Amino acid sequence: MLTNSHHPDAATQVEMFRRMALLKANDERSRKVVTAGRLAIPYYSYRGQEVIPAAMSVNLTDQDYLCTIYRGIHDVIAKGTPLKAVWAEIAGRVNGTCKGKGGPMHLTYPSKGVMVTTGIVGSSMPIANGLAWAAQLSGDGRVAVATFGDGASNIGAFHESLNLASVWKLPVIFLCSNNRWGEHTAYGKTTPVARISDRAAAYGMAGIHVDGNDPLAMYAAAREAVERARAGEGPTLIEAMTFRFHGHVFGDADRYMDKAEKAKWVAADPYPAFRARLIAEGLASEETLAGFEADAEAQLDEAVEYALGAEFPGLEELSTDVFGEAA
């Protein structure tokens, strides 16, 4: 149950905004770089969904695990992966997080707990279960978070993962960003239940339905789930309601989306709303928040040029990092 103890203090709220500023700027810069023809990659915009990774990440440590999906660069950056390494990886350069061999669909950075970015819908969940099981066996107190979209809640891996996690009381959080679209198909055309979080009851685990565009509510949901996992009380399914501002993949003209509904969500953009509230409540000054935004742009200037000016991996990399060293 959410309580006042889950209310973030002023410093935490400002830190959440700082991370949101970086995520928003990174998404806008990504689309700009692709549009300019400087980088040819599949890009899945997360614009409009910045609250969820910002609120979850401030409740995690570098030792906690994250398994995310192709629309998860915001998860990776919020968890602390260096921006230069992220950009070098999505550009396929040798100084990227995976030496340029993973690309935007497979970002990994274990020193910050970013264990996998997967291009397979829903596959973040069984991997997170494995990591959570390892944490449970070692007793190291780590928590594993699997992020995914609403469409993934209809595949077998979702149900199998929730069942196993509940039976074994694994310290894992299933974080569903319900942006109301599974690729190009509206939620109601594929999913018979009104709330994905209701499915938690079928597996005997806690389920939280939360406004994923409300920073305070999202923080409280994440905090509750993390505390439950660390206390050995098992997994939580969080359904965070949100809306993506762009089509499934960059270049998708999103003609299938209801224009009035989209306009309503864009008008309720959580980023400027949170920014205005922090100032109105005296939690941060205009100068402080503008400073975060300027710093994000400066970091991106440096990261993009660092990445695009770097070398591609050599042919010898085709056969390295494939097998481990012989025992």
Side-chain angles (χ1 to χ4, degrees):
M1 178 177 293
L2 302 180
T3 70
N4 288 335
S5 67
H6 296 137
H7 185 84
D9 59 22
T12 302
Q13 292 188 51
V14 173
E15 173 59 19
M16 286 166 57
F17 179 84
R18 188 193 68 79
R19 298 187 193 200
M20 286 175 61
L22 182 58
L23 301 180
K24 175 177 175 289
N26 183 74
D27 179 78
E28 292 169 345
R29 184 67 64 93
S30 298
R31 288 183 278 119
K32 184 177 180 180
V33 169
V34 172
T35 301
R38 301 188 69 194
L39 192 59
I41 58 169
Y43 182 68
Y44 301 87
S45 174
Y46 52 80
R47 184 68 188 91
Q49 302 183 191
E50 294 89 348
V51 168
I52 300 168
M56 175 54 76
S57 63
V58 297
N59 281 289
L60 300 174
T61 70
D62 289 351
Q63 286 69 49
D64 291 322
Y65 298 120
L66 170 70
C67 300
T68 188
I69 56 170
Y70 52 82
R71 199 188 308 282
I73 291 179
H74 52 352
D75 296 327
V76 171
I77 295 173
K79 191 72 168 58
T81 307
L83 211 52
K84 284 184 176 179
V86 170
W87 271 88
E89 187 58 41
I90 66 175
R93 299 316 206 265
V94 70
N95 46 1
T97 61
C98 300
K99 300 183 183 178
K101 295 188 283 187
M105 302 283 273
H106 303 292
L107 288 158
T108 304
Y109 201 71
S111 64
K112 289 290 183 180
V114 179
M115 304 309 289
V116 67
T117 299
T118 172
I120 306 299
V121 171
S123 61
S124 59
M125 291 175 271
I127 300 171
N129 266 2
L131 293 163
W133 188 28
Q136 185 185 65
L137 291 174
S138 66
D140 59 18
R142 290 178 169 181
V143 168
V145 178
T147 66
F148 55 97
D150 44 286
S153 70
N154 294 325
I155 72 169
F158 169 86
H159 298 280
E160 293 165 2
S161 297
L162 266 64
N163 184 69
L164 184 68
S166 189
V167 169
W168 290 358
K169 289 194 176 303
L170 296 178
V172 61
I173 298 165
F174 301 102
L175 177 54
C176 174
S177 294
N178 186 346
N179 63 23
R180 303 157 201 267
W181 289 94
E183 297 193 356
H184 310 91
T185 306
Y187 178 85
K189 292 185 177 179
T190 61
T191 309
V193 294
R195 293 184 173 190
I196 290 170
S197 56
D198 288 347
R199 289 176 165 171
Y203 300 104
M205 72 167 64
I208 300 174
H209 182 85
V210 63
D211 180 354
N213 285 359
D214 180 336
L216 302 188
M218 187 60 222
Y219 173 90
R223 177 73 178 274
E224 177 185 322
V226 169
E227 289 186 351
R228 179 179 294 111
R230 291 205 202 284
E233 296 172 359
T236 302
L237 169 63
I238 298 176
E239 179 186 17
M241 303 306 297
T242 186
F243 195 86
R244 70 173 200 233
F245 288 180
H246 297 281
H248 171 57
V249 65
F250 189 59
D252 169 2
D254 66 30
R255 294 189 180 89
Y256 48 88
M257 299 175 87
D258 182 274
K259 302 307 177 192
E261 182 188 24
K262 178 179 175 180
K264 180 193 72 174
W265 282 97
V266 172
D269 187 342
Y271 180 84
F274 190 35
R275 190 183 195 284
R277 196 182 63 74
L278 290 175
I279 295 172
E281 295 184 3
L283 300 180
S285 66
E286 165 64 32
E287 290 73 20
T288 296
L289 302 188
F292 290 154
E293 291 160 339
D295 180 64
E297 295 295 342
Q299 287 187 58
L300 284 162
D301 289 343
E302 190 174 351
V304 171
E305 298 312 315
Y306 171 83
L308 299 184
E311 299 291 331
F312 288 101
L315 290 176
E316 71 280 3
E317 288 292 342
L318 287 172
S319 57
T320 60
D321 306 318
V322 176
F323 299 105
E325 295 294 328

